[in-house]
Amino acid sequence: MLDAVGLSLNYACLIVSTIFLLYATRTYVFALIASQRRRARGREWRGRSANPEHPFVSVMIPVYNEPNVVDRILRACVELDYDNYEVIVVDDSTDETIEKLCVWAKHPRVKVIHRNHRTGWKGGALDEGLKQLNPKSEFILVFDADFIPPRDIIKKLLSRFLNEKIAAVQGYHLSILNADENWVTRAARVNLSFGYAIDMAGRAGLGGAPQLGGSVMMIRRKVLEEVGGFGHSITEDWELTLRLYEHGYRIVYDETVKVPCECPSTLWRFIRQQCRWAEGHTRNFRRYFWRILRRKDLPLKTKLDFLLVGGIFLQSVLFILGEVLVATGMAI
């Protein structure tokens, strides 16, 4: 009996170890792919452009109590090197951000929408903004308030929509604005930089399932309306990613489109951010698990990427399980 239990524990430990080995191998492979992409940076887009007719673009900025940065991003957004666009701010604030936005509401290019509730969190705010879009709008570009978009951002992102199956383009979150503020921001920068410089680049290079990051993302309006808007998940970007793949669309990741942004500056904010990402990510992974795997038109490597990324926050559970199995095996 004890031999049978011991054998079962050995098999369970082998399975857990194999999963960890798979994730470790994935990291090294992605680092290699990302390095190769950096050496070829920009060449894949050279001479390739789309949307020469300058379609109308709506720049959307969800805001919640951001008095220190809201003026900065709006100054950048009204000076973009593009003529055919609008800026829509959806504000859920309860502090002095409201007064600052009252001034910006007078700008001819800026439309401010204020909500006195936070229903749906960021996704709910963005869905509210969709109701106020200019009828001519064809593309939606989303920024969080702590970003500073470069002047050519619209032209660059539009040029990446090379066919109708590309529903969205995701740029690089360049976390440098407050990276040297303290040890928390330095740690957060390392974490975010790994995600965009290695993980996302590797997934894109291997034909996996690049995902939306919540900011620096441009989406076709008609596709967004087709899949039901941004949604009300606490990780609305990940849920929207899964809905796009569920409907057979593609997401392009371009790490050459870099936009400076800030990192969480306190340990409590960083922990809350990571907990929110873990909860929303895992919840939507469970919700869309079979929907994605049953899509016959999705390549196997895209589905495999979905499985590995979807379960990434479950590694801690596997680690605890592995430790329990080892301790139990030693005890018997």
Side-chain angles (χ1 to χ4, degrees), residues 81-291:
D81 185 18
Y82 194 80
D83 295 327
N84 208 20
Y85 77 100
E86 66 179 349
V87 179
I88 296 179
V89 181
V90 186
D91 177 46
D92 295 349
S93 298
T94 58
D95 63 2
E96 61 267 32
T97 305
I98 298 175
E99 285 71 32
K100 289 177 177 286
L101 288 175
C102 285
V103 177
W104 280 104
K106 301 174 184 177
H107 194 284
R109 201 182 286 278
V110 178
K111 181 186 298 183
V112 177
I113 305 166
H114 182 72
R115 303 197 307 167
N116 57 7
H117 57 84
R118 297 211 70 205
T119 303
W121 300 286
K122 178 182 172 182
L126 290 171
D127 279 343
E128 184 66 30
L130 289 180
K131 302 174 184 177
Q132 307 293 332
L133 293 185
N134 188 304
K136 300 183 297 182
S137 180
E138 297 182 46
F139 291 87
I140 297 168
L141 173 57
V142 179
F143 290 114
D144 286 338
D146 57 348
F147 282 68
I148 306 179
R151 296 190 73 241
D152 62 350
I153 185 72
I154 292 181
K155 291 180 179 179
K156 278 189 173 181
L157 290 175
L158 282 176
S159 70
R160 288 13 177 188
F161 288 88
L162 300 177
N163 60 66
E164 291 295 321
K165 294 302 290 183
I166 298 176
V169 177
Q170 175 62 51
Y172 188 115
H173 293 194
L174 186 61
S175 51
I176 61 173
L177 294 181
N178 67 335
D180 295 326
E181 182 177 335
N182 54 49
W183 68 271
V184 177
T185 57
R186 287 191 286 271
R189 181 188 181 186
V190 171
N191 182 57
L192 196 62
S193 296
F194 171 82
Y196 282 92
I198 296 178
D199 191 82
M200 288 276 281
R203 292 165 65 187
L206 288 176
Q211 67 187 71
L212 299 174
S215 186
V216 198
M217 59 183 193
M218 181 177 280
I219 310 155
R220 293 184 189 272
R221 177 183 182 177
K222 64 179 182 181
V223 173
L224 189 58
E225 293 174 344
E226 176 188 340
V227 302
F230 288 93
H232 291 180
S233 170
I234 57 174
T235 49
E236 81 296 328
D237 47 355
W238 172 239
E239 184 189 17
L240 178 56
T241 296
L242 298 181
R243 280 191 276 123
L244 291 176
Y245 283 117
E246 181 187 13
H247 284 75
Y249 289 105
R250 288 179 53 211
I251 296 172
V252 168
Y253 172 61
D254 182 8
E255 63 269 42
T256 69
V257 181
K258 296 184 176 182
V259 180
C261 65
E262 294 188 357
C263 306
S265 58
T266 67
L267 181 60
W268 176 239
R269 289 181 180 177
F270 181 73
I271 291 174
R272 286 183 61 189
Q273 180 194 69
Q274 297 301 308
C275 289
R276 177 174 59 84
W277 287 356
E279 179 185 352
H281 191 97
T282 305
R283 184 184 298 168
N284 283 306
F285 174 60
R286 178 181 60 83
R287 180 181 175 189
Y288 286 87
F289 185 85
W290 290 114
R291 300 190 199 181

